[in-house]
Amino acid sequence: AAVSVASVTEGSLATTVTATGAVVSRNDARLAAEVPGRLDWVAEPGARVAKGAPVARVDTKALELQLREADAQVARLAANAELLDTQLQRLTALPSGIASKSQIDEAAARLSMARHELDQARAARERTRHLVDRAVIRAPFPGHVVERIRQLGEFVGAGTEVLRLTDTGNVEVVARTPVAEAGHLSVGQQVTVRGAAKEIQSRIRAIVPVGDDRSRLLEVRIAMTGDGWPIGSAVRVDLPAASNGRASLVVPRDAVIVRADGAHVFRIGKDNTAERITVRVGNGDAKKVEVSGGLSAGDRVIVRGGERLRPGQAVRVATEG
């Protein structure tokens, strides 16, 4: 029989806990209007936008009229301040005794008040300009417009949510695991993320060390490396759990054959025959498992092709890993 074999190694494996999770975006925001008014443009759902690009706009006609009024007010107050400054200069230039000190002080006070009013008018104008600029809602990060919350032509107030923007290029997995397993987890640990059709190796990016009072679960965030993981995809995450802390014999999980009478592996004997070895299974992960029994490090065990073998049957090694 043609078989595939692998060597028995020494090592220590931690058990794993399978946690359910979902792919989420690290940047997902509901963008709101900052000024009240009627929406005269909202980006289409599905549109991809760059950071800083406009995604919606509030009609600014009323604000533009206010800005024109503010410009006129600033011009009027600037002319008045210039006139008062000229009058003060004339009074101070007169020969001594012609203009009293009180007249000069009064002219200086009027000029100071006019300049303060001018500064106030300029600030009001800048505030109106700021509102005109903020009438355009811009993307705080690159992404896709996912949802129109308000439609074109609707009137919105300051703080009204207009659309949802999601960064589809910056994702991670949010998984939840029992609080009791928190002691076995640390930032940077390697984990396996398995989706519907593929799996990847990644690492724990962050652990939220607060468990839910009802479910007794805490949140683990896992960095994603690779494309093709749509936001909202359900995944399973193999998280490390307890380890026995001592070296054991390790074989590929596919080498272990479980039957009603227990677990066993087939070892390749010196004469290329299959020897059945009863083992006890310990900790393991998705690919390897700890075993104890009549094996030694360096023994070759059958990984593929052992399901139909009989003890003592001659075999031919097709591949060896």
Side-chain angles (χ1 to χ4, degrees):
V3 295
S4 299
V5 301
S7 297
V8 179
T9 59
E10 285 188 339
S12 179
L13 298 176
T15 56
T16 59
V17 173
T18 299
T20 58
V23 179
V24 301
S25 172
R26 295 190 64 185
N27 296 310
D28 194 330
R30 292 176 177 267
L31 305 183
E34 294 189 42
V35 296
R38 181 180 57 82
L39 289 172
D40 63 7
W41 176 71
V42 182
E44 292 285 344
R48 181 172 180 82
V49 296
K51 180 179 179 179
V55 292
R57 184 177 60 244
V58 174
D59 181 34
T60 59
K61 184 64 177 178
L63 289 174
E64 289 170 356
L65 292 174
Q66 290 180 22
L67 186 57
R68 290 175 58 184
E69 291 178 356
D71 287 336
Q73 179 76 348
V74 168
R76 184 182 67 80
L77 293 175
N80 183 53
E82 184 178 355
L83 174 62
L84 293 175
D85 183 45
T86 301
Q87 292 176 350
L88 178 61
Q89 291 179 17
R90 287 174 179 172
L91 287 175
T92 55
L94 292 174
S96 178
I98 296 180
S100 65
K101 186 176 184 304
S102 62
Q103 288 177 314
I104 295 175
D105 290 343
E106 184 179 353
R110 288 199 301 268
L111 175 60
S112 179
M113 292 177 61
R115 285 174 174 171
H116 286 311
E117 290 176 354
L118 177 59
D119 289 340
Q120 186 177 13
R122 286 171 175 166
R125 181 178 63 180
E126 291 304 313
R127 182 169 60 252
T128 305
R129 283 179 178 171
H130 176 73
L131 291 176
V132 171
D133 292 338
R134 305 311 292 179
V136 178
I137 304 175
R138 299 185 180 275
F141 48 79
H144 284 82
V145 176
V146 176
E147 178 187 4
R148 271 182 169 179
I149 302 173
R150 297 289 180 178
Q151 299 299 321
L152 182 68
E154 289 191 58
F155 186 90
V156 295
T160 302
E161 294 180 351
V162 175
L163 55 82
R164 178 185 172 195
L165 181 68
T166 302
D167 185 355
T168 55
N170 190 6
V171 300
E172 64 183 0
V173 167
V174 173
R176 289 171 175 81
T177 186
V179 174
E181 303 297 334
H184 310 304
L185 302 177
S186 62
V187 174
Q189 277 183 326
Q190 183 170 323
V191 297
T192 302
V193 180
R194 288 180 283 136
K198 61 179 177 178
E199 68 178 51
I200 63 169
Q201 299 296 315
S202 188
R203 295 189 179 276
I204 296 177
R205 185 188 67 81
I207 300 171
V208 181
V210 179
D212 183 81
D213 292 339
R214 295 182 178 180
S215 65
R216 304 299 179 188
L217 299 176
L218 57 78
E219 186 176 290
V220 179
R221 291 187 170 257
I222 297 150
M224 292 298 290
T225 55
D227 299 326
W229 295 86
I231 294 173
S233 300
V235 297
R236 290 179 295 169
V237 183
D238 293 333
L239 299 171
S243 173
N244 58 25
R246 63 178 184 276
S248 303
L249 297 178
V250 178
V251 299
R253 183 174 288 276
D254 290 340
V256 180
I257 301 172
V258 180
R259 294 289 185 263
D261 57 349
H264 65 272
V265 300
F266 278 107
R267 179 175 63 188
I268 303 295
K270 295 181 180 180
D271 53 354
N272 279 347
T273 57
E275 300 177 356
R276 175 171 171 161
I277 307 296
T278 301
V279 295
R280 291 185 298 277
V281 178
N283 292 342
D285 55 26
K287 295 182 179 180
K288 295 183 179 181
V289 65
E290 294 178 358
V291 294
S292 59
L295 293 175
S296 301
D299 287 347
R300 296 188 301 165
V301 294
I302 296 174
V303 180
R304 293 283 188 275
E307 293 80 3
R308 296 182 177 84
L309 288 179
R310 301 183 306 275
Q313 183 177 350
V315 296
R316 175 176 57 85
V317 177
T319 59
E320 185 165 354

